[in-house]
């Protein structure tokens, strides 16, 4: 199904579509979003007479955009870069997990009231379970890029479920001390360590790590310098690269393949965070296979 694209200004006088537009993803830019190709097949599979559209919303206009979407009869919205933090202050009710993760990526509109959720954290847990058959609570986790928004969400979520050990790595080391203080306040049971992105520094931690998460944008470009030294991975490592590169596997995924290690990429997170959003909107299990097929088609 085609995925219509709208601007913020069009929200004032939204065109009547068939089926009617009831769900949207907002961001800036937004034209690249694969979410419609995942959610429209899900709506069809469940026989819901609605469609999911993309809306480009400039920074600073999120609250206004939400107000207009409520007025136009929308049921739900996904919020992507750079609006996940702005959305936290733009909803009526913030779910406690979203408050703790510091970002809202899903809006559910019920009786004109706006409820904000975060499905990235729970989506990470579900995707690790699906890809590796393991629970994050049982794993020793290394997050590369813990100082960014995505890395922070994965770190907080991992601590909330009580992972066995957490090593936080970031290019800008000064971002790690405040994060460790915040995470220590959530749980004193998890063992925290920090490190730089220096290959030798990371390599020292790998023997005591099960799950390696890349939460940086490194890997999006073919010319990016690899995050890990060649030969650093073992077959027992679980490699989760939040980056998805349409042109082929990232260096990290290739290194995992060479080591015989299991791996997952950004598509896995997109699928599962989307499924949890769908469940917030409709209160029924998401048709995961229809969503997965839709995504596959979108990227092929
Ligand atoms: P977001 O907050 O949306 O996740 P971000 O602020 O750009 O995105 O940060 C993403 C993460 O990628 C950060 O940890 C960032 O490191 P810094 O905190 O040092 O900026 C990391 N990152 C981005 N480009 C990088 C690069 N070329 N090498 C290493 N880390 C990089």
């Amino acid at each position: 199904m085609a995925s219509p694209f709208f601007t913020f200004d069009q929200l004032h006088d939204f065109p009547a579509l068939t089926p009617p537009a009831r769900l949207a993803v907002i961001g800036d830019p937004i034209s690249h979003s694969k979410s419609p190709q995942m959610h429209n097949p899900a709506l069809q599979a469940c026989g819901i007479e609605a469609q999911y559209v993309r809306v480009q919303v400039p920074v600073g206009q999120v609250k206004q955009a939400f107000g207009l979407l409520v007025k136009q009869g929308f049921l739900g919205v996904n919020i992507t870069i750079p609006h996940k933090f702005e959305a936290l202050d733009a909803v009526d009710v913030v779910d406690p997990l979203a408050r703790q993760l510091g970002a809202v990526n899903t809006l559910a509109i019920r009786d004109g009231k706006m409820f904000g959720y975060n499905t990235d954290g729970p989506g990470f847990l579900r995707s690790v379970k699906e890809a590796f058959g393991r629970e994050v609570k049982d794993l020793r986790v290394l997050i590369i890029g813990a100082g960014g928004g995505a890395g922070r969400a994965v770190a907080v979520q991992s601590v909330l479920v009580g992972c066995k050990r957490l090593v936080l790595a970031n290019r800008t080391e000064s971002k790690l001390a405040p994060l460790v203080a915040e995470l220590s306040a959530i749980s004193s049971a998890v063992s925290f360590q920090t490190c730089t992105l220096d290959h030798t520094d990371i390599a020292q931690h790998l023997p005591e790590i099960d799950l390696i998460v890349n939460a940086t944008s490194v890997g999006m470009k073919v010319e990016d310098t690899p995050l890990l030294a060649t030969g650093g991975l073992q077959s027992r490592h679980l490699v989760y690269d939040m980056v998805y590169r349409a042109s082929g596997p990232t260096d990290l995924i290739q290194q995992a393949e060479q080591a015989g290690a299991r791996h997952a990429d950004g598509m896995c997170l997109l699928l599962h965070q989307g499924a949890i959003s769908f469940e917030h909107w409709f209160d029924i299990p998401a048709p995961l296979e229809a969503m997965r097929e839709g995504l596959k088609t979108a990227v092929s």
Side-chain angles (χ1 to χ4, degrees):
M1 183 192 280
S3 51
F5 171 86
F6 299 93
T7 63
F8 172 79
D9 289 337
Q10 286 175 289
L11 289 179
H12 291 278
D13 188 16
F14 205 78
L17 305 179
T18 309
R22 291 288 173 259
L23 299 163
V25 56
I26 67 162
D28 190 10
I30 199 61
S31 55
H32 65 285
S33 174
K34 303 272 181 286
S35 292
Q37 288 103 313
M38 168 171 65
H39 282 291
N40 281 320
L43 293 166
Q44 282 182 333
C46 294
I48 298 169
E49 266 298 291
Q51 68 173 294
Y52 185 112
V53 300
R54 296 166 293 165
V55 184
Q56 180 144 355
V57 172
V59 169
Q61 308 270 36
V62 171
K63 198 176 173 75
Q64 261 179 291
F66 284 171
L68 292 166
L69 288 160
V70 172
K71 222 169 108 189
Q72 298 293 348
F74 277 70
L75 303 170
V77 182
N78 281 131
I79 300 101
T80 188
I81 293 167
H83 299 322
K84 293 184 189 185
F85 309 108
E86 197 179 329
L88 195 65
D89 295 321
V91 299
D92 298 317
V93 181
V94 179
D95 178 69
L97 177 64
R99 173 81 62 203
Q100 208 149 20
L101 294 175
V104 160
N105 79 326
T106 300
L107 171 70
I109 301 160
R110 303 183 190 113
D111 298 326
K113 205 167 172 181
M114 299 183 284
F115 296 83
Y117 299 95
N118 186 306
T119 70
D120 286 330
F124 168 69
L125 299 180
R126 270 201 207 177
S127 55
V128 166
K129 175 79 179 160
E130 182 185 76
F132 307 125
R134 302 288 303 275
E135 302 282 353
V136 172
K137 73 175 175 52
D138 299 324
L139 298 173
R140 299 168 297 175
V141 184
L142 162 67
I143 303 173
I144 303 173
R152 187 184 168 283
V154 169
V156 173
Q157 186 68 76
S158 299
V159 170
L160 284 171
V161 297
C163 66
K164 293 288 173 240
R165 163 193 283 250
L166 190 56
V167 179
L168 306 165
N170 206 56
R171 175 179 61 182
T172 312
E173 268 188 280
S174 57
K175 290 189 186 169
L176 294 177
L179 180 61
V180 169
E182 193 187 332
L183 297 173
S184 306
I186 298 173
S187 169
S188 54
V190 177
S191 143
F192 299 107
Q193 285 174 297
T194 61
C195 77
T196 68
L197 293 196
D198 180 80
H199 281 180
T200 327
D201 203 4
I202 291 187
Q204 281 174 359
H205 290 279
L206 291 180
E208 299 296 322
I209 288 297
D210 307 306
L211 175 65
I212 298 159
V213 181
N214 172 30
T216 73
S217 48
V218 175
M220 279 187 187
K221 291 184 242 135
V222 177
E223 63 271 23
D224 281 342
T225 309
L227 289 163
L228 301 182
T230 310
L233 289 174
Q234 295 165 14
S235 59
R236 62 168 194 85
H237 282 126
L238 310 173
V239 177
Y240 190 111
D241 194 343
M242 292 175 89
V243 167
Y244 171 77
R245 194 166 71 198
S247 62
T250 60
D251 273 313
L252 186 59
I253 298 287
Q254 287 178 44
Q255 284 177 327
E257 280 170 355
Q258 278 153 18
R262 284 184 286 165
H263 51 80
D265 67 24
M267 275 298 142
C268 201
L269 179 59
L270 182 59
L271 173 68
H272 286 278
Q273 63 77 30
I276 300 170
S277 294
F278 191 94
E279 289 165 9
H280 281 303
W281 297 326
F282 298 109
D283 205 18
I284 54 172
L288 201 61
E289 293 319 312
M291 299 176 89
R292 198 190 309 271
E293 279 309 306
L295 268 184
K296 258 192 213 158
T297 310
V299 299
S300 65

